[in-house]
């Protein structure tokens, strides 16, 4: 179940939030004045979300060094939009 809490809970109920993010591996969405403000998650969850990104960026850097082909931002974003529409 999605956990949505006021940002004041981060100060007032830190141990509850810590239990949710660390033990239950559940992100907690914090609001300020009724609007989304931030998300708190465990380091493990963050690592899982971002782990593949670094290797993909390294792969892209290597490809950019070995392939002289360059694309404009319009070409790149158009291709991405088309791939999303195809799904």
């Amino acid at each position: 179940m999605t956990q949505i809490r006021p940002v004041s809970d981060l100060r007032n109920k830190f141990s509850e939030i810590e239990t949710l993010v660390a033990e239950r591996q559940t992100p907690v969405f914090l609001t300020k004045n009724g609007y989304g403000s931030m998300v708190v998650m465990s380091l493990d969850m963050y690592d899982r979300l971002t782990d593949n990104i670094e290797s993909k960026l390294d792969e892209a850097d290597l490809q950019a060094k070995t392939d002289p082909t360059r694309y404009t931002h319009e070409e790149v974003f158009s291709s991405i939009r088309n791939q999303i529409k195809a799904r």
Side-chain angles (χ1 to χ4, degrees), residues 38-53:
M38 63 182 79
V39 177
V40 178
M41 66 179 69
S42 70
L43 288 175
D44 289 337
M45 182 176 275
Y46 180 79
D47 283 343
R48 284 194 308 274
L49 285 173
T50 61
D51 185 41
N52 198 26
I53 293 171

Side-chain angles (χ1 to χ4, degrees), residues 11 16 19 22 28 36 39 43 47-48 54 59 61 63 69 76 81 87:
R11 177 185 29 170
E16 284 181 33
T19 298
V28 176
V39 177
L43 288 175
D47 283 343
R48 284 194 308 274
E54 193 64 39
E59 184 181 323
D61 286 341
Q63 184 176 356
T69 307
V76 171
R81 284 186 199 99
R87 290 182 186 180

Side-chain angles (χ1 to χ4, degrees), residues 3-84:
Q3 292 290 320
I4 302 173
R5 305 275 190 103
V7 75
S8 61
D9 278 6
L10 194 55
R11 177 185 29 170
N12 299 330
K13 298 179 181 179
F14 181 82
S15 60
E16 284 181 33
I17 292 175
E18 184 180 33
T19 298
L20 287 169
V21 300
E23 294 176 13
R24 296 186 190 173
Q25 292 295 305
T26 303
V28 176
F29 298 85
L30 300 174
T31 62
K32 184 175 182 180
N33 299 324
Y35 294 96
S37 177
M38 63 182 79
V39 177
V40 178
M41 66 179 69
S42 70
L43 288 175
D44 289 337
M45 182 176 275
Y46 180 79
D47 283 343
R48 284 194 308 274
L49 285 173
T50 61
D51 185 41
N52 198 26
I53 293 171
E54 193 64 39
S55 64
K56 291 293 184 182
L57 288 172
D58 290 343
E59 184 181 323
D61 286 341
L62 179 61
Q63 184 176 356
K65 287 179 184 175
T66 59
D67 186 345
T69 307
R70 298 293 180 257
Y71 299 99
T72 66
H73 71 278
E74 289 94 355
E75 292 170 318
V76 171
F77 288 112
S78 175
S79 173
I80 292 170
R81 284 186 199 99
N82 289 338
Q83 289 177 30
I84 291 171

